[in-house]
Amino acid sequence: MTMADSNKTANLTIGDQSYELPIHSPTVGPDVLDIRKLYGQAGVFTYDPGFTSTAACDSTITYIDGEEGVLLHRGYPIDQLASKSHYLEVCFLLLYGNLPTATELEDFESRVTNHTMLHEQMQYFFRGFRRDAHPMAIMVGVVGAMSAFYHDSTDISDPWQREVASIRLIAKMPTIAAWAYKYHTGQPFVYPRNDLDYASNFLRMCFSVPAEDYEVNPILSRAMDRIFTLHADHEQNASTSTVRLASSSGANPFACIAAGIACLWGPAHGGANQACLEMLKEIGSPENIPEYIARAKDKNDPFRLMGFGHRVYKNFDPRATVMKQSADEVLDLLGVENNPVLATAKALEEAALSDPYFAEKKLFPNVDFYSGIILEAMGFPTSMFTPIFALSRTVGWVSQWKEMLTDPQNKIGRPRQLYLGETARDYVDIEKR
């Protein structure tokens, strides 16, 4: 991987000294100032809390243009992938850089399908958690513990072991998430089946019980697959950056992905669709919507409509159109009459889309709004929303992890700081303080 050639430079003046900084031009997106030698030449650091203006790496996997509402995976627009492809094909694309041939896809799907089972002893690891443990707590622990069960895929210097770890993580994450849900509900674990597709297998492991047969509805399976696809990767976000930073130390892949899951657990990152459902429950019923829309427009009211607008996408969320289609299909199938949350969601969507205020502010329903509705309709509790997000994002984390390990510029992450504490001072004995 090499940066695009550029002869452009920038000049930085500090006092009476001037320094020339190289400028790298990407294939698409804004140019990047190269400040790697700045401290050595000028003795200064740059200050960028949250890294909102800092490129920590170069990558060929995912590109986002928030102003224009663009999300590309290896150059393919997300709306095309979500409507024409399916999750495992997108996994192949993210991992290897190109869409697979029919033979390659069949081989890849076979490898994933045949590695979905967990080591039988891992059942006892699940049972070590309290019954009321959050599924994300279970996932963080179990994924991190995979390194204790799969010693033959922890050597990150071995390309084959990296490949084995990648397939294992993608294949086993639905089983781990489903078992975390089953343990949380007190139901028996359900083993994966090789005759089902990825999304159907997950739904069956979550909702089937030994007492009766469970048939996966294809509409629900397709909606689940789209949720997986639309959350597969999202460039250098907080959890992806966490995976990269953990990986930079040489940590094993399971520890790195567990770190990503822990970061995703934070409500500012992976909890958006859960926050949306909690808002809908607060609204209560469709007749309360005018009151809450008025509150959302009031700058002095702390209430905000969750699931509308996006921090990255300033225009529209390119994932939302396809997700809306699936939400409509699921609601048509399951109905909203007996579920006040879904009835409120449907009425709120109609009210917001017909209100000029939201169009002017570009506050359109985003992927979190529609995915939350779908998961609620399927019967998932809000505590499972973030685990499903983690399951979906695993391939993105793994792809970024693999890319980083083959990058010749890879080095251990070591952010700098603006120190504002005390200067050096002498220790004083306790009797004299």
Side-chain angles (χ1 to χ4, degrees), residues 91-127:
C91 287
F92 186 101
L93 173 67
L94 291 171
L95 285 168
Y96 305 117
N98 293 294
L99 289 172
T101 64
T103 301
E104 289 172 333
L105 181 59
E106 182 180 2
D107 172 71
F108 180 72
E109 289 180 336
S110 175
R111 284 189 289 149
V112 171
T113 300
N114 287 293
H115 287 85
T116 52
M117 290 183 63
L118 297 179
H119 193 291
E120 191 67 9
Q121 281 187 293
M122 293 191 81
Q123 282 201 29
Y124 300 103
F125 196 80
F126 278 85
R127 293 189 170 103

Side-chain angles (χ1 to χ4, degrees), residues 260-328:
I261 295 172
C263 180
L264 187 70
W265 195 359
H269 187 8
N273 50 11
Q274 180 174 342
C276 177
L277 258 292
E278 291 170 351
M279 175 202 70
L280 291 171
K281 291 176 181 178
E282 178 186 345
I283 294 174
S285 62
E287 55 263 26
N288 297 328
I289 288 174
E291 172 194 344
Y292 279 87
I293 285 184
R295 290 181 59 188
K297 295 177 182 179
D298 185 354
K299 294 180 180 180
N300 297 319
D301 193 311
F303 176 77
R304 293 291 179 268
L305 280 181
M306 306 302 296
F308 289 78
H310 196 280
R311 188 176 65 83
V312 173
Y313 300 110
K314 305 306 180 186
N315 192 349
F316 66 94
D317 186 340
R319 303 167 295 175
T321 302
V322 179
M323 200 76 269
K324 171 178 166 51
Q325 179 184 343
S326 284
D328 290 340

Side-chain angles (χ1 to χ4, degrees), residues 8 44 55 63 86 91 141 147 149 218 246 259 311 329 336 342 355 394:
K8 294 184 288 187
V44 297
Y63 171 74
H86 64 277
C91 287
S147 59
F149 290 86
R311 188 176 65 83
E329 292 172 355
V336 301
L342 298 180
D355 192 320
T394 296

